Amino acid sequence: MEMKTVDSNIHLDVEAIRLNFPILTKKVNGQTLVYFDNGATVQKPIAVIDAINDYYSHYNANIHRGVHTLSREATELFEQARQTVAAHFRVVNPQQCIFTAGTTDGINMIAQGLAKSILKPGDEILLTAYEHHSNILPWQLWAHENGGVLKVIPLLSNHSLDIDSISTLITAKTKVIAVTQVSNTLGLITPLEPLLKLAKQHGIITVIDGAQAAPHLPVDLTALNPDFFVCSAHKMYGPTGIGLLYMREQWLKTLPMAKTGGGTIKTVSFEKTEYAEGALRFEPGTPHIAGAVGFAAALKFMNAVGVSNIYQHETELVNEAQHQLLQLPEVEIYGQSEHKAGVISFNLKNAHPFDVGTLLDKYGIAVRTGHHCTQPLMQLLGIQGTVRASFAVYNTKAEVHHFIEKLKRVIHLLA
Ligand SMILES: Cc1ncc(COP(=O)(O)O)c(C=O)c1O
């Protein structure tokens, strides 16, 4: 396969970047891998693989409670990782950055904490039509068990969100607005500013699911100032099993813990416990120390490339793919827009997305097919699933063109 990159982007040397990703030379079904499933999880650069290897080779110990050298070193690496995460997201106090198992874990911690403190029967949670199951189910569970109500910001005919409807959806009972910053299925970006402004005016708690935003866009949490923000390292060139839960400083003291145990305390007796302050209060048990180290290495990689450069490059890829797909009458695109974050979703008329994905795999092209954990969105679109191509910094226009060529063959085969 001809893979010479002719990207017009002057900021990025994509060929040099690709050398950082050993997996990209892998052959799949005898073909060079074209990995367009980055929305599910992104590939890892050598810097991240090496950081984790280095941690286990030279520093592995349990943290926070040891006086011996290794334990102190591991603790320092873990807390340095917290500082790197805080700096990346422009958070002044690193204690506001809590390590979780990922986005899903973070949203569950928020929902369960608010359920124990703020939420009352009859209260309303406002979501968007885009939400991933991970930002529906924790709220739905509370609503079903406690007589709560989920309301949904609907879609417009162009599949963007009907943001104007918010003013009528918000009532005196709206306690939480929990929204994804970027739709994992459509790649469309939620206009957060008007939403956050309205929430502030009404004293509503804001939760941002940043799982698909953080890999593609610069996120400044000081400027955005939501109550909560969550994301997953594995979608940001980091390892699986680790993520960020950011919370506004007031919540560090007031949000009830969803889970507790060793590491979260100052003192414990059988009668009572005095809890630690800051992030530790929310990090029971032995954390994913190597994961935190890998997460920090991933953020360093992203910043070395430049998050704005990543966004610009991926936008060029999305727009090129969209432009090419629009030439094919057999293709229907969902959420067509020039302002997307790394994702394009489509179907071939009269073909099941699984068949399209299976045939593309024969050519070594990895795309995701199905409902993308957004079944309610699929219901609104009146479809069962889509084919989703999602891009990362190492993808090239040559790969996009190769994908379009093979898709034409798939169209021919399925005709
Ligand atoms: C928008 C969105 N929210 C939440 C999640 C869940 O992330 P994780 O599986 O890392 O917890 C995903 C994963 O695809 C996502 O795209």
Side-chain angles (χ1 to χ4, degrees), residues 4 97 100 188 193 307 359 374 386 390:
K4 287 244 155 36
C97 294
T100 63
L188 293 172
E193 278 77 12
V307 183
L359 286 171
T374 56
T386 73
S390 51

Side-chain angles (χ1 to χ4, degrees), residues 103-104 132 134 180 184 209 211-212 232 234-235:
T103 304
T104 307
H132 188 282
S134 289
T180 189
N184 66 304
D209 173 351
Q212 295 293 338
S232 301
H234 71 95
K235 296 183 195 287

Side-chain angles (χ1 to χ4, degrees), residues 209-287:
D209 173 351
Q212 295 293 338
H216 306 292
L217 308 170
V219 177
D220 182 334
L221 289 176
T222 298
L224 276 178
N225 195 23
D227 286 277
F228 300 98
F229 175 92
V230 287
C231 64
S232 301
H234 71 95
K235 296 183 195 287
M236 306 175 69
Y237 307 94
T240 54
I242 183 115
L244 164 68
L245 161 56
Y246 157 89
M247 57 179 76
R248 228 186 251 165
E249 207 143 2
Q250 76 200 62
W251 293 110
L252 283 175
K253 287 205 168 79
T254 56
L255 186 77
M257 298 148 298
K259 45 193 180 177
T260 188
T264 62
I265 57 96
K266 275 185 190 158
T267 61
V268 180
S269 69
F270 279 115
E271 287 71 38
K272 68 177 173 64
T273 295
E274 196 188 347
Y275 283 95
E277 281 165 15
L280 289 190
R281 199 162 84 83
F282 297 96
E283 292 175 352
T286 302

Side-chain angles (χ1 to χ4, degrees), residues 380-395:
L380 289 171
L381 294 173
I383 52 178
Q384 292 211 319
T386 73
V387 181
R388 182 185 74 178
S390 51
F391 304 112
V393 67
Y394 43 69
N395 290 127

